[in-house]
C-alpha cells in the first residue's frame, strides 16, 4: 500500500511574508483538482495544531485527507523519530494493514524532517522555492519548488 503524508505550512500552503492575516486564504481550483486526483490515501503531519490544520484545509477546500497528525494530537513533534513511528503505526493500524510492502511518501519543506523520514525508510519529497535540483542530499528522493509541480509529477510515479 502507498500512503502520501504531507506537511502543511510551507509545503501545501505558502503563507505570504508580511501577511497580517495568515488565514486570508482562497481556494485554488487547480490545487483542489491535483489533490482530488491523487491515487493514494493522504494524511497531514504537521507541527502546527490540529485546529490550525483543519482551518487551513477548510479554507483551501482540500477535503480528501484521511487524518491529521498535529502537535496536539500526537505525543511527539517532528523531527523526533518517535513522531514518525507514531504516524506510521497509526496509519497501518487504522488501515488494518499487515502488509510489509508499504511505501510512505513524505512531503515537507524542512530538511531535518526529511532526513528523519528517510531514516524511517520513507520516500522523501522536498518542497521548497529554495530547492536546487543539483543539490545532492542523500536523504532526498525528489525535490520541487512547489506543491503543484510535486503533485503533478509524483502522482504519475509507479512505486511498485
Amino acid at each position: 500500500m502507498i500512503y502520501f503524508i504531507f506537511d502543511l505550512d510551507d509545503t501545501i500552503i505558502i503563507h505570504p511574508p508580511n501577511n497580517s492575516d495568515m488565514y486570508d486564504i482562497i481556494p485554488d481550483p487547480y490545487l483542489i483538482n491535483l489533490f482530488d486526483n491523487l491515487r493514494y490515501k493522504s494524511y497531514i503531519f504537521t507541527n502546527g495544531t490540529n485546529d490550525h490544520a483543519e482551518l487551513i484545509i477548510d479554507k483551501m477546500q482540500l477535503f480528501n485527507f484521511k487524518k491529521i497528525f498535529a502537535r496536539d494530537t500526537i505525543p511527539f513533534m517532528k523531527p523526533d523519530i518517535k513522531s514518525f513511528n507514531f504516524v506510521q503505526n497509526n496509519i497501518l493500524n487504522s488501515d488494518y494493514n499487515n502488509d510489509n510492502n508499504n511505501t510512505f511518501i513524505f512531503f515537507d519543506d524542512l530538511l531535518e524532517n526529511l532526513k528523519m523520514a528517510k531514516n524511517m525508510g520513507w520516500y522523501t519529497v522536498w518542497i521548497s522555492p529554495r530547492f536546487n535540483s543539483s543539490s545532492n542530499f542523500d536523504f532526498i528522493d525528489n525535490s520541487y519548488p512547489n506543491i503543484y509541480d510535486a503533485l503533478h509529477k509524483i502522482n504519475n510515479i509507479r512505486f511498485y
Side-chain angles (χ1 to χ4, degrees):
M1 183 72 70
I2 296 173
Y3 303 98
F4 282 168
I5 303 172
F6 295 91
D7 175 49
L8 183 61
D9 294 301
D10 298 322
T11 301
I12 292 177
I13 177 122
I14 306 295
H15 298 289
N18 303 321
N19 186 354
S20 60
D21 184 4
M22 69 183 288
Y23 298 110
D24 185 20
I25 299 167
I26 58 171
D28 179 339
Y30 182 62
L31 187 62
I32 292 167
N33 185 56
L34 286 170
F35 271 99
D36 284 348
N37 287 301
L38 290 179
R39 296 183 311 199
Y40 308 113
K41 292 180 182 177
S42 299
Y43 299 83
I44 295 288
F45 181 19
T46 179
N47 280 346
T49 65
N50 191 70
D51 287 345
H52 169 75
E54 286 180 351
L55 182 61
I56 296 290
I57 290 167
D58 185 55
K59 286 188 170 284
M60 295 182 77
Q61 297 182 6
L62 300 175
F63 302 118
N64 63 336
F65 296 104
K66 302 294 275 178
K67 187 169 186 173
I68 297 170
F69 297 96
R71 73 173 176 218
D72 52 349
T73 64
I74 63 175
F76 306 97
M77 290 175 45
K78 298 180 289 185
D80 190 317
I81 189 75
K82 294 173 195 153
S83 68
F84 288 85
N85 278 316
F86 181 90
V87 167
Q88 180 173 304
N89 290 335
N90 188 281
I91 290 171
L92 294 175
N93 290 335
S94 67
D95 208 25
Y96 305 106
N97 184 341
N98 294 322
D99 185 4
N100 288 330
N101 194 21
N102 298 301
T103 302
F104 293 86
I105 296 110
F106 180 58
F107 301 76
D108 203 299
D109 62 302
L110 297 177
L111 294 173
E112 59 267 22
N113 294 338
L114 293 160
K115 187 172 187 177
M116 190 57 67
K118 183 49 82 179
N119 288 341
M120 290 285 301
W122 293 6
Y123 186 93
T124 56
V125 182
W126 184 28
I127 307 296
S128 174
R130 301 175 313 277
F131 100 103
N132 180 340
S133 60
S134 65
S135 297
N136 194 12
F137 297 110
D138 60 351
F139 54 91
I140 301 292
D141 293 303
N142 270 307
S143 57
Y144 301 95
N146 56 62
I147 195 66
Y148 302 94
D149 291 352
L151 291 177
H152 180 71
K153 299 215 173 120
I154 207 86
N155 200 39
N156 294 315
I157 294 176
R158 298 278 180 208
F159 290 95
Y160 290 129

